[in-house]
Amino acid sequence: MSTLPIEIVILAAGQGTRMRSTLPKVLHDLGGRPLLGHVMDTAAVLNPTRLCVVYGHGGDTVMSTFADRDATWVHQSEQRGTGHAVLQAAPHLSDEAVVLILFGDVPLVRSETLEAAAAIASQDKLAVVSAMVADPTGYGRVIRDANDSVVAIREHKDASSAELAIREINTGIMAAPVNRLRGWLEGLTNDNAQGEYYLTDAVEAALADGVAIEASVVLDEDEVSGVNDRVQLARLERAYQHREAERLMRAGVSLRDPTRFDVRGTVEAGTEVSIDVNVVLSGRVTLGTGVRIGPNCVVSDTNIGDGVEILANCVIESASIAAGARVGPFARVRPEADLGPDVHVGNFVEIKKSVLKRGAKVNHLTYIGDSEVGERVNVGAGTITCNYDGANKHRTTIEDDAFIGSGAMLVAPVTVGAGATIGAGSTISRDAPANELTVARGKQRSISGWQRPVKNKK
């Protein structure tokens, strides 16, 4: 770890024309977060004294997306190369610090890699992060001398045929003492094939100043890969998902097939968790010990307690599910649903903005909305809490130990008392007293001689 304060500059001004999108490249999604969000989150792990983001195309959108972040936003109105971009941020940096230069479209870089580079720079050296790749096309090459010391970085368009054969590439990530880098930036020229000011030319400037250059070689190519088009974005998405799956498995989660599992947010899990195929976890999800999730489920922003079983094909969002509950199959649990311990929510049941207390059961073809359902309540198939009158929502209260017969309509606002029984097929529009049977349905009658309508013949 660096012994000097760390400041970080993230370059995020590129237009990303190959993305074929009106959305700024750094705002494209990977694993449920914008590319730039991944880089900013990793940078935060290093506790920098300052974080500068150099923006250009789509600047207002980029800044508003990260309005809650503690960052200094620096506008690069004209894109004239990476060296020019860092030069825009230079006035905001302290000469008594080490600066790390990162890229907003390189989302999978690890904090350990950045810490190692910062530690090198704190020794009054220039640190460059390199990688050995199978196909170095398009990347700057790391040029070493006979003693294996780094002596230059040559951009692809400026490289000789011999240099193009080099497989060690510059990732662009760099760390240096600010007081050194400031002078190197001011001496940059644009005498190259691109007509741009290359940050990589700082290597030769450092050598001219007698400053040692040390390359920190990354073994995982995905860690330092950038996103230039949607093909690369999709490839890094799978790399990210593999990383998340491996993290969870090492923490005690069993994944039936890690290649058919997606995390699009943050997931914390206890041990003995089992997750079947085609499960998507998004937002902030916590899974208690012994949770089991069946195939084809989507869970978003939800806390799931110990021993909960989520059966196949459920959609759960912004909810809380307590220990021992069972949900599904084919259930939808909507925002502000609070399922208590040992609650059962069955097939084709929808719960919205409701509390179900310990042991309540809603097992079949039912809608519960804007309701409070007491302990040990049993709700029969086809029941609906009629919570919306066309203009306003109203609440239904079902007290402990009540029994709701199948096909009941509970017209809110209404209360069903403790221990009450509602007869099947009833439409309840007034409070039902505790411990009594309430039936509200029209008298059955048969009409003799009635003829079923028939279609007119054409």
Side-chain angles (χ1 to χ4, degrees):
M1 188 69 178
S2 171
T3 57
L4 295 175
I6 295 174
E7 299 185 338
I8 293 176
V9 174
I10 302 175
L11 305 185
Q15 185 174 3
T17 54
R18 281 181 279 174
M19 297 297 289
R20 307 288 185 185
S21 174
T22 57
L23 186 70
K25 179 171 68 171
V26 295
L27 296 187
H28 280 263
D29 180 275
L30 183 141
R33 285 178 287 164
L35 295 172
L36 180 56
H38 285 268
V39 183
M40 295 178 81
D41 288 344
T42 302
V45 175
L46 278 67
N47 296 313
T49 56
R50 183 179 296 276
L51 174 64
C52 293
V53 181
V54 180
Y55 70 96
H57 295 282
D60 291 341
T61 305
V62 174
M63 286 192 293
S64 63
T65 301
F66 298 99
D68 60 335
R69 302 290 186 118
D70 184 14
T72 300
W73 295 91
V74 180
H75 187 228
Q76 185 187 18
S77 57
E78 186 180 1
Q79 278 66 60
R80 300 171 62 190
T82 51
H84 178 261
V86 178
L87 194 59
Q88 309 312 298
H92 301 280
L93 303 178
S94 167
D95 282 340
E96 288 72 42
V98 160
V99 61
L100 270 164
I101 299 166
L102 312 179
F103 293 83
D105 61 356
V106 180
L108 300 187
V109 65
R110 298 178 188 270
S111 60
E112 295 86 351
T113 297
L114 304 183
E115 288 173 348
I120 293 170
S122 71
Q123 301 170 31
D124 200 34
K125 297 179 181 179
L126 172 61
V128 295
V129 176
S130 68
M132 298 295 295
V133 298
D135 180 8
T137 303
Y139 290 98
R141 306 306 201 275
V142 176
I143 311 300
R144 296 177 182 266
D145 63 14
N147 297 318
D148 206 35
S149 298
V150 177
V151 294
I153 293 174
R154 194 81 68 233
E155 293 298 324
H156 182 93
K157 291 187 177 181
D158 299 309
S160 67
S161 57
E163 291 168 339
L164 288 174
I166 296 171
R167 291 178 50 236
E168 185 180 9
I169 59 100
N170 171 47
T171 68
I173 298 171
M174 181 181 293
V178 172
N179 59 345
R180 295 280 195 181
L181 183 64
R182 198 184 300 280
W184 301 336
L185 292 172
E186 291 171 353
L188 294 179
T189 69
N190 63 346
D191 183 19
N192 51 62
Q194 294 276 80
E196 295 185 348
Y197 295 90
Y198 292 150
L199 180 61
T200 49
D201 287 346
V203 172
E204 294 184 33
L207 288 171
D209 281 354
V211 175
I213 296 97
E214 187 172 333
S216 179
V217 183
V218 170
L219 301 179
D220 178 7
E221 182 178 340
D222 289 332
E223 180 184 349
V224 290
S225 293
V227 173
N228 292 304
D229 58 33
R230 294 176 190 268
V231 174
Q232 292 175 332
L233 179 63
R235 188 178 66 79
L236 286 190
E237 176 74 31
R238 295 331 309 161
Y240 173 79
Q241 295 302 338
H242 175 77
R243 181 187 287 187
E244 284 297 291
E246 186 174 277
R247 177 183 70 84
L248 289 169
M249 288 188 290
R250 293 189 184 283
V253 175
S254 292
L255 298 177
R256 186 61 59 91
D257 184 348
T259 66
R260 290 189 285 168
F261 166 73
D262 273 26
V263 172
R264 299 174 187 171
T266 60
V267 178
E268 297 300 327
T271 58
E272 305 301 334
V273 171
S274 175
I275 300 177
D276 213 322
V277 300
N278 301 328
V279 169
V280 177
L281 305 179
S282 65
R284 184 175 296 276
V285 175
T286 59
L287 306 175
T289 299
V291 169
R292 291 178 292 168
I293 301 178
N296 309 315
C297 292
V298 178
V299 181
S300 307
D301 295 306
T302 294
N303 297 321
I304 298 178
D306 295 346
V308 169
E309 183 175 15
I310 309 296
L311 301 177
N313 303 296
C314 292
V315 177
I316 300 170
E317 51 185 328
S318 301
S320 177
I321 303 176
R326 187 178 71 195
V327 178
F330 294 98
R332 185 182 180 195
V333 182
R334 292 172 56 189
E336 297 184 58
D338 184 353
L339 309 188
D342 303 315
V343 162
H344 290 183
V345 171
N347 50 284
F348 305 105
V349 171
E350 181 176 352
I351 309 292
K352 172 254 178 186
K353 201 174 183 180
S354 296
V355 176
L356 276 65
K357 296 183 179 179
R358 181 184 295 274
K361 295 181 180 180
V362 187
N363 279 325
H364 315 284
L365 301 155
T366 292
Y367 170 71
I368 301 292
D370 296 282
S371 300
E372 181 170 322
V373 180
E375 296 185 5
R376 299 172 299 279
V377 167
N378 190 307
V379 179
T383 295
I384 297 174
T385 57
C386 306
N387 58 323
Y388 185 50
D389 63 7
N392 300 297
K393 299 290 180 68
H394 303 279
R395 291 194 65 79
T396 296
T397 300
I398 306 173
E399 296 180 349
D400 295 349
D401 299 302
F403 181 94
I404 311 299
S406 297
M409 303 290 110
L410 306 181
V411 183
V414 70
T415 296
V416 177
T421 298
I422 303 299
S426 294
T427 297
I428 303 299
S429 56
R430 297 194 300 271
D431 292 351
N435 300 311
E436 293 185 12
L437 170 64
T438 298
V439 180
R441 53 190 181 218
K443 182 179 179 181
Q444 180 174 320
R445 61 189 181 125
S446 299
I447 302 174
S448 61
W450 178 83
Q451 297 293 319
R452 181 180 297 168
V454 297
K455 292 183 179 180
N456 294 325
K457 294 182 179 180
K458 293 183 179 179

